Amino acid sequence: PMLTRDDLESFLIRMDLEFNEVDDGMYVVHTPNNGPPVVVHHSPPLLLVRLKVMDLPEGASLQELYRALLVWNATDVIHGAYGIEEGDLVLTDTLELGSLDFPELQASLESMQMAASSHMETIKSLAAAGQEV
């Protein structure tokens, strides 16, 4: 059976996460330690998970940052991947509602939060270095 919005809400409650529904089937999940919030969108047949890491600086030379992100996508980000969306650096994951269970959702959210927090210092320094060129 496909995971319903009620199932999703019960998973978030079970994870003891604060969240609020901001649109039909779209939730903002507040992470512990004041990490960046994660947007979880129940959009059958998929669950879209998105974490905004930062605004990308315009006009900067970001080759080193992009290289680091691609390496992390291949080696360090277990769930999801880094990407660029409308000028934002984001971490996204797409999960199938038909097979999604509690451990998979929990692993996705934790993996994205861990990646964002462990890479943040390097991301900021590479973005700043790109602006100095």
Side-chain angles (χ1 to χ4, degrees):
M2 192 172 295
L3 190 85
T4 65
R5 282 172 46 192
D6 288 344
D7 296 332
L8 174 61
E9 286 187 21
S10 73
F11 284 179
L12 294 173
I13 291 166
R14 245 173 91 186
M15 281 183 243
D16 203 25
L17 294 171
E18 284 183 44
F19 64 93
N20 50 307
E21 191 170 7
V22 292
D23 198 5
D24 195 29
M26 186 175 292
Y27 302 85
V28 175
V29 180
H30 305 283
T31 57
N33 313 324
N34 292 324
V38 178
V39 175
V40 178
H41 190 190
H42 186 272
S43 179
L46 301 173
L47 184 73
L48 310 171
V49 184
R50 180 183 179 277
L51 181 156
K52 177 179 171 181
V53 179
M54 69 180 289
D55 295 319
L56 285 172
E58 283 186 43
S61 171
L62 299 175
Q63 289 161 310
E64 290 304 311
L65 173 60
Y66 296 154
R67 179 178 170 70
L69 296 173
L70 286 170
V71 169
W72 288 330
N73 278 349
T75 61
D76 208 42
V77 180
I78 299 159
H79 287 268
Y82 283 104
I84 298 169
E85 183 180 88
E86 295 173 12
D88 295 338
L89 175 60
V90 296
L91 263 169
T92 60
D93 199 4
T94 306
L95 305 166
E96 291 188 30
L97 290 169
S99 60
L100 183 61
D101 60 11
F102 179 78
E104 185 182 9
L105 178 62
Q106 187 171 34
S108 172
L109 294 176
E110 288 176 357
S111 165
M112 290 174 67
Q113 292 160 11
M114 190 176 312
S117 63
S118 67
H119 299 152
M120 188 59 81
E121 207 170 298
T122 306
I123 287 170
K124 284 183 174 167
S125 72
L126 289 172
Q131 288 176 294
E132 292 161 11
V133 173

